[in-house]
Amino acid sequence: MKHFSTFLAAAAVTLSVSLPARAETTLTVHYPMPGFFKDVMDTISKKFMEENPDIKIQFANPSATYEEGIQTIMRQAGTDEMPDITFIGLNRLRMANERDIPVDMGPMIAKDKATMAEQGFSDNILKLAQVGGKQVGLAFATSNPIMYYNADLVKAAGGNPDEPPKTWDEVIALGAKIKALGDGVDSVDFRWQGDDWMFSALLFGAGGTMLSEDESEVAFNGPAGQQAMNVVDRLVKEAGMPVFTKQAGEQAFVAGKVGFAFQTTGALRNTIKNVGGKFDLRTAEIPLLDPVNGKLPTGGNAVVILTHDEARQDAAWKFAKFAAGPYGASVVVPGTGYVPNNELAAKSPEYLGDFYKQNPLFQAGLKQMPRMIPWYAFPGSNGVRVTQTIVDNTSRVVDQSATPEEALDDAANEVKRLLPRS
């Protein structure tokens, strides 16, 4: 018996030595805009690795903007430098898909369909990251443009902070009064720089579209586009909006020197932090040129799987679901200001159910969710150049070197040249 016990013990030792440790899968993850997302990504990845100890997350160098991000991925596609996972701006998913870079998540979703629904992934949410019916990603952070305002300046200019402007006419009139306060105070910072998102907010808010339905003709220089660009022109001429850079506008607003700022909900947490107690910060819904039919572009990004390695792909799918799921949303929303992209997170007390009651500054973006439509993605490989064309011509209106009509027509002519030829 003693010999048998000794044999069992020896066998157990041999078995424990011969069995390999569970293999660890390392995923390289790339993301844009670290100013918004670094803390969020660190929190989500840490929690994910605690729950999945066999998967390690390492981050590639983040890109400063969505535009830089997609260009980085396009360069790295098919090379050893390409990450396993990336986060792509919603308006650049089409560009990536036309190069066949993202892995189709459709089969993965079909396999996990029951649990996906339980985790708050509704059909509407899934559609945000679809291109031509292909599931190229999962919406991770979604946003819409809102109005930030300095209630102290509004009050000093004779306005009622409890009843913020509901039309662009009211914004312009009150902005002019704020500008007239003097002492280095400016009226408005409208965040037109960087991409076409805020122009889209005006255009879609007027019921317009970027291209015709069949995408054969430029449409943004039509009546709705004229209304949109006229708002930019009037903000300068009548309200005295200066030619801010993005950074200068942000700094002036948080310093208490600007009455209104129009930009993404995604900047809300940083704005709250940077304003501190310097003034009474408020938020409200952005005015629409067509209050009945007006829509708003959905900003933000989607988590996209790039790796075709089977083991890493399984691990990447786990991470994608976790990041875009209820836990991820419960980190993204309070950590940035983005609106919830997950229904379970939005409704459950375990996640964000009570958050909006306790944090009224976040409610403006939430109220606008029914008006959100996809951020338009131009066809073809020139999407970044098309966007820059719109930005450059908006800049000409802001610095008053072109009329709205001239800027729109010039932009339309250049965009038409950049679009794919049928």
Side-chain angles (χ1 to χ4, degrees):
M1 189 72 178
K2 180 178 180 182
H3 292 294
F4 185 65
S5 300
T6 303
F7 170 78
L8 285 177
V13 170
T14 302
L15 188 63
S16 66
V17 171
S18 61
L19 280 175
R22 191 172 184 183
E24 181 181 84
T25 301
T26 299
L27 296 175
T28 301
V29 178
H30 166 265
Y31 66 91
M33 298 171 63
F36 284 1
F37 292 116
K38 183 183 185 304
D39 291 345
V40 165
M41 291 295 182
D42 289 346
T43 301
I44 291 173
S45 63
K46 180 180 178 182
K47 180 71 170 175
F48 176 78
M49 288 188 287
E50 288 174 0
E51 295 188 9
N52 298 272
D54 58 324
I55 302 174
K56 180 183 177 183
I57 302 297
Q58 64 180 18
F59 291 112
N61 288 333
S63 299
T65 65
Y66 288 141
E67 310 307 309
E68 290 182 22
I70 186 60
Q71 292 183 72
T72 295
I73 296 303
M74 299 282 270
R75 286 195 305 270
Q76 294 177 346
T79 72
D80 292 339
E81 293 182 316
M82 185 178 75
D84 299 302
I85 293 171
T86 188
F87 291 76
I88 295 178
L90 294 175
N91 69 324
R92 297 299 177 220
L93 294 175
R94 180 175 184 173
M95 182 188 297
N97 188 60
E98 287 178 351
R99 285 275 300 273
D100 200 27
I101 295 173
V103 171
D104 185 1
M105 292 184 179
M108 304 173 190
I109 290 173
K111 185 178 177 181
D112 294 352
K113 191 165 183 62
T115 55
M116 291 289 287
E118 291 171 2
Q119 289 299 300
F121 292 96
S122 68
D123 287 342
N124 286 338
I125 287 168
L126 291 174
K127 285 178 182 176
L128 289 174
Q130 291 176 0
V131 176
K134 176 182 173 181
Q135 194 75 45
V136 300
L138 295 176
F140 170 71
T142 51
S143 64
N144 55 59
I146 62 171
M147 174 199 297
Y148 297 73
Y149 64 101
N150 183 326
D152 296 342
L153 291 180
V154 167
K155 189 174 182 179
N160 182 353
D162 297 326
E163 294 183 11
K166 290 183 171 56
T167 68
W168 285 109
D169 287 342
E170 292 175 359
V171 169
I172 291 165
L174 187 52
K177 293 178 180 178
I178 291 173
K179 177 78 172 179
L181 293 173
D183 193 27
V185 169
D186 279 305
S187 54
V188 176
D189 173 28
F190 186 84
R191 199 60 48 80
W192 54 269
Q193 313 92 332
D195 53 46
D196 61 6
W197 195 59
M198 288 303 295
F199 173 72
S200 296
L202 293 172
L203 177 69
F204 297 173
T209 59
M210 285 290 190
L211 301 184
S212 60
E213 189 173 351
D214 63 1
E215 298 189 324
S216 64
E217 299 290 337
V218 173
F220 63 72
N221 62 333
Q226 293 289 342
Q227 283 185 276
M229 200 63 86
N230 281 336
V231 167
V232 177
D233 190 49
R234 291 182 62 203
L235 286 172
V236 177
K237 287 179 177 174
E238 299 175 37
M241 182 175 76
V243 185
F244 278 132
T245 63
K246 179 177 180 293
Q247 185 178 23
E250 290 172 352
Q251 292 175 345
F253 182 76
V254 300
K257 292 296 185 178
V258 176
F260 296 98
F262 295 91
Q263 68 153 321
T264 173
T265 57
L268 181 52
R269 177 55 68 190
N270 280 347
T271 303
I272 292 170
K273 176 183 174 182
N274 292 331
V275 168
K278 291 193 282 288
F279 61 86
D280 181 5
L281 172 67
R282 308 272 188 100
T283 62
E285 296 170 61
I286 192 171
L288 300 173
L289 287 164
D290 183 341
V292 177
N293 301 308
K295 303 296 182 183
L296 292 171
T298 302
N301 62 68
V303 55
V304 175
I305 296 174
L306 305 177
T307 180
H308 288 271
D309 177 271
E310 189 174 338
R312 291 208 299 274
Q313 199 172 95
D314 289 343
W317 174 236
K318 288 182 181 178
F319 181 76
K321 286 190 297 181
F322 187 83
Y327 177 79
S330 73
V331 175
V332 170
V333 171
T336 58
Y338 282 80
V339 296
N341 63 305
N342 183 281
E343 290 188 353
L344 179 61
K347 297 174 183 177
S348 172
E350 181 183 354
Y351 297 108
L352 297 169
D354 297 325
F355 174 79
Y356 290 98
K357 296 176 186 175
Q358 299 164 2
N359 296 272
L361 290 177
F362 289 75
Q363 290 178 10
L366 187 69
K367 291 175 182 176
Q368 294 181 156
M369 285 187 72
R371 292 190 180 270
M372 290 166 64
I373 60 173
W375 184 359
Y376 185 71
F378 287 91
S381 60
N382 290 322
V384 174
R385 291 175 66 188
V386 167
T387 293
Q388 191 58 47
T389 296
I390 294 172
V391 171
D392 290 345
N393 281 283
T394 304
S395 175
R396 295 171 66 206
V397 176
V398 174
D399 68 20
Q400 296 289 283
S401 63
T403 66
E405 294 80 8
E406 291 169 340
L408 282 171
D409 287 342
D410 288 348
N413 289 333
E414 178 64 10
V415 168
K416 187 174 182 178
R417 189 184 67 81
L418 294 169
L419 291 175
R421 291 178 181 153
S422 55

